[in-house]
Amino acid sequence: MQTKPVLSSNTFRYLNTSVHINAKPDTIIRSYAENKVIQLTLREIVEFSTPGRFVDFAAFIKRELPIRISHRIVELESLPYNLSDMPSTLKLRNMYQLGFHLIRSLPEPSDDVSLEIFVKGVESHFKSLANATELLAAGITECTIHHPSQATQVRTCKFLNGFLDRFHTSRIGTRLLTGQLCALYAQYYGKNDKPKAIAGDKSSALGILDDNCSPKEVLQWAVDDAARMCYENFGK
């Protein structure tokens, strides 16, 4: 008989730790950042998302997520024009550092008990970074305000533009993986965290992936939403 999972003291501490400004990446983070990110194709994600391979998918994310997070931490620390020292950038970097140590503290997902603990920890990390894009944008704004003489360089810096491309591309890919993990767990285990049969599920969705998704409709929604925001902020 399995008992209700209990978060370890380390995991509980990371879930409830405040962000400490000016914390520096440690040697463990830097060693992880030396590893290359493993990119999965959409087909591979779908194959990983079947009930029989869900635990393998969780184990992959357990190994992969700290590597991806470490890359973001090291890059955020090395931004030019004092950008890495701005309050919002520091807050974002330290949020990633807390997430890095949280994921490493979670148990290897190998059974129902450890799987629940792991997924809940990943979900906590996923939610904590919901405003990462806004924090990064705020950091850039703070940099131009505190260092007005560098404002032009900041806006035209090729290195910074390249970093932003990598940051957002990586963010999309990573949130796809973590979002898929959390959605599949809810789909396979239900609200009471008990495994459930899905053979009779008539939904076309596999986690956050939907066979009936219309790219045209999604793109049109994005166009309409961007137009609305432009009109609200700029009047045109």
Side-chain angles (χ1 to χ4, degrees):
M1 179 178 178
Q2 290 182 329
T3 59
K4 185 67 177 177
V6 177
L7 293 177
S8 69
S9 58
N10 283 340
T11 303
F12 184 81
R13 176 163 58 88
Y14 286 121
L15 284 172
N16 294 276
T17 300
S18 299
V19 176
H20 298 290
I21 300 300
N22 290 328
K24 293 290 185 179
D26 55 31
T27 54
I28 297 177
I29 292 175
R30 294 189 179 281
S31 66
Y32 268 79
E34 294 176 359
N35 295 286
K36 290 184 178 180
V37 169
I38 297 177
Q39 303 287 358
L40 294 183
T41 65
L42 192 58
R43 180 183 296 276
E44 289 171 329
I45 294 175
V46 170
E47 292 172 352
F48 252 144
S49 298
T50 58
R53 298 201 64 191
F54 180 64
V55 174
D56 294 335
F57 186 41
F60 169 79
I61 291 179
K62 166 71 174 174
R63 295 189 302 271
E64 178 71 10
L65 195 52
I67 295 174
R68 293 182 176 224
I69 297 173
S70 68
H71 284 208
R72 302 287 75 75
I73 295 170
V74 171
E75 282 198 314
L76 283 168
E77 189 202 13
S78 59
L79 291 174
Y81 304 114
N82 302 299
L83 182 55
S84 60
D85 297 325
M86 295 299 104
S88 294
T89 311
L90 286 171
K91 181 177 181 180
L92 177 60
R93 194 184 76 203
N94 284 280
M95 287 168 63
Y96 272 114
Q97 289 184 187
L98 289 173
F100 173 86
H101 292 297
L102 165 64
I103 301 302
R104 290 188 69 248
S105 75
L106 296 173
E108 189 70 27
S110 57
D111 54 31
D112 289 348
V113 175
S114 58
L115 187 61
E116 181 182 358
I117 296 174
F118 178 71
V119 172
K120 287 185 176 179
V122 171
E123 186 176 24
S124 172
H125 169 71
F126 180 87
K127 291 179 178 178
S128 72
L129 290 170
N131 66 334
T133 299
E134 288 83 353
L135 282 173
L136 187 56
I140 295 174
T141 299
E142 291 164 359
C143 185
T144 59
I145 293 174
H146 292 297
H147 305 280
S149 62
Q150 298 178 346
T152 301
Q153 293 94 316
V154 169
R155 295 191 182 97
T156 60
C157 178
K158 292 183 178 180
F159 174 85
L160 183 56
N161 286 331
F163 160 76
L164 291 172
D165 287 343
R166 291 190 303 274
F167 177 88
H168 292 299
T169 301
S170 173
R171 174 175 163 79
I172 291 170
T174 301
R175 289 183 74 79
L176 170 62
L177 292 177
T178 53
Q180 178 72 346
L181 176 79
C182 296
L184 285 173
Y185 185 82
Q187 186 174 351
Y188 293 163
Y189 285 76
K191 294 182 179 180
N192 59 355
D193 299 321
K194 299 292 184 181
K196 65 177 182 179
I198 63 168
D201 190 353
K202 297 180 180 180
S203 171
S204 63
L206 182 63
I208 60 175
L209 304 178
D210 190 351
D211 283 344
N212 290 332
C213 173
S214 167
K216 179 180 179 181
E217 291 181 4
V218 174
L219 289 171
Q220 187 59 56
W221 175 87
V223 169
D224 295 341
D225 194 49
R228 175 187 59 79
M229 289 190 291
C230 285
Y231 184 80
E232 289 178 354
N233 287 279
F234 304 107
K236 61 181 178 180

